[in-house]
């Protein structure tokens, strides 16, 4: 869509029509940076632009804000999903050529370049909860396309699932939390993705409430 303000578009990726919300600032020009946001489980893509303050970033930085909708998936996964919920696909399908949600991110990057002449060296992703885990996956699996990622209330899960660790603590550093009662010690495979040992190291910012009752701060630590 052209113009400014909130817009809605549809991209057909992997044979699936995907709705995408956008916010185009009034100062939009060529070579604009792009922030792609990912909402949490059963949440709202347009609300994600507002609740995450991404709209403010768009206005301040003259950045294109893109917020796709997740799919309703029936199989459930390691991230507290039991089926028939709207969330992002992650582990174990982390192949950017096969994961439909990663294909959507790639399509978004292509489209913002085609439609708005966006600067594809400045593609940033931000997500909350399920979207936070997907932001980690997108940042690491698309390390040649994503400049940096932000994860809120997510992290890396080495436990069987996010519900395995119930730790809540007090303090503002991982070192202080690690010494508190109930701190977990999981050592399984990293979910939503294994951190690459080769290639570009993508910068990331991980933010978490220390008393999060749904996704333990342990996973961000």
């Amino acid at each position: 869509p052209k113009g400014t303000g909130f817009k809605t578009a549809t991209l057909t990726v992997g044979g699936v029509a995907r709705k995408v919300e956008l916010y185009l600032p009034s100062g939009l020009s060529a070579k604009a940076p792009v922030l792609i946001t990912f909402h949490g489980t059963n949440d709202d893509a347009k609300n994600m632009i507002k609740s995450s303050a991404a709209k403010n970033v768009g206005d301040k930085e003259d950045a294109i804000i893109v917020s796709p909708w997740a799919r309703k998936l029936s199989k459930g996964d390691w991230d507290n999903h039991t089926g028939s919920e709207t969330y992002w696909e992650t582990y174990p399908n982390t192949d950017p050529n096969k994961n439909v949600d990663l294909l959507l991110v790639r399509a978004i990057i292509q489209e913002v370049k085609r439609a708005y002449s966006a600067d594809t060296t400045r593609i940033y992703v931000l997500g909350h909860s399920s979207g936070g885990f997907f932001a980690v996956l997108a940042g690491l699996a698309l390390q040649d396309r994503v400049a940096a990622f932000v994860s809120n209330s997510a992290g890396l899960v080495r436990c069987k699932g996010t519900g395995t660790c119930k730790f809540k603590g007090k303090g503002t550093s991982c070192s202080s939390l690690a010494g508190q009662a109930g701190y977990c010690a999981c050592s399984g495979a990293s979910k939503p993705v294994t951190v690459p040992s080769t290639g570009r190291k993508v910068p990331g910012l991980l933010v978490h409430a220390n008393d999060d009752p749904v996704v333990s701060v342990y996973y961000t630590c």
Side-chain angles (χ1 to χ4, degrees):
K2 303 298 182 183
T4 60
F6 285 99
K7 307 289 181 180
T8 301
T10 300
L11 294 177
T12 300
V13 182
V16 180
R18 303 293 297 270
K19 189 165 73 167
V20 178
E21 309 293 346
L22 301 99
Y23 177 72
L24 304 173
S26 58
L28 182 63
S29 60
K31 291 296 180 182
V34 180
L35 175 61
I36 307 174
T37 71
F38 307 116
H39 62 78
T41 301
N42 296 329
D43 205 347
D44 181 305
K46 192 170 184 178
N47 180 60
M48 180 64 184
I49 297 178
K50 299 176 180 179
S51 63
S52 67
K55 177 183 179 297
N56 298 351
V57 174
D59 289 331
K60 182 179 179 181
E61 304 293 341
D62 291 332
I64 300 166
I65 310 300
V66 186
S67 187
W69 290 79
R71 296 171 294 156
K72 178 174 283 190
L73 300 175
S74 59
K75 59 187 177 183
D77 70 354
W78 55 273
D79 185 24
N80 287 341
H81 299 124
T82 58
S84 299
E85 296 173 292
T86 302
Y87 59 94
W88 302 96
E89 184 175 8
T90 56
Y91 178 91
N93 183 14
T94 60
D95 186 337
N97 297 311
K98 297 179 180 179
N99 181 306
V100 176
D101 290 338
L102 289 176
L103 287 172
L104 174 62
V105 176
R106 293 171 56 183
I108 288 170
I109 295 171
Q110 289 181 342
E111 281 296 291
V112 292
K113 181 178 181 180
R114 182 197 63 80
Y116 309 117
S117 299
D119 184 353
T120 54
T121 68
R122 293 193 292 164
I123 302 291
Y124 304 92
V125 298
L126 174 153
H128 169 70
S129 194
S130 171
F133 287 120
F134 187 67
V136 174
L137 171 59
L140 299 184
L142 301 176
Q143 60 192 136
D144 58 338
R145 292 174 171 87
V146 172
F149 67 89
V150 179
S151 160
N152 181 60
S153 299
L156 285 175
V157 176
R158 292 186 180 277
C159 301
K160 183 178 180 180
T162 50
T164 303
C165 180
K166 303 292 186 180
F167 173 77
K168 294 190 288 185
K170 295 181 179 180
T172 57
S173 71
C174 288
S175 58
S176 66
L177 292 168
Q180 296 173 27
Y183 195 76
C184 302
C186 300
S187 58
S190 291
K191 299 174 284 287
V193 63
T194 299
V195 178
S197 58
T198 60
R200 175 174 171 265
K201 291 182 171 60
V202 182
L205 171 66
L206 286 80
V207 181
H208 213 124
N210 57 21
D211 60 348
D212 189 330
V214 178
V215 179
S216 174
V217 65
Y218 168 72
Y219 299 127
T220 281
C221 286

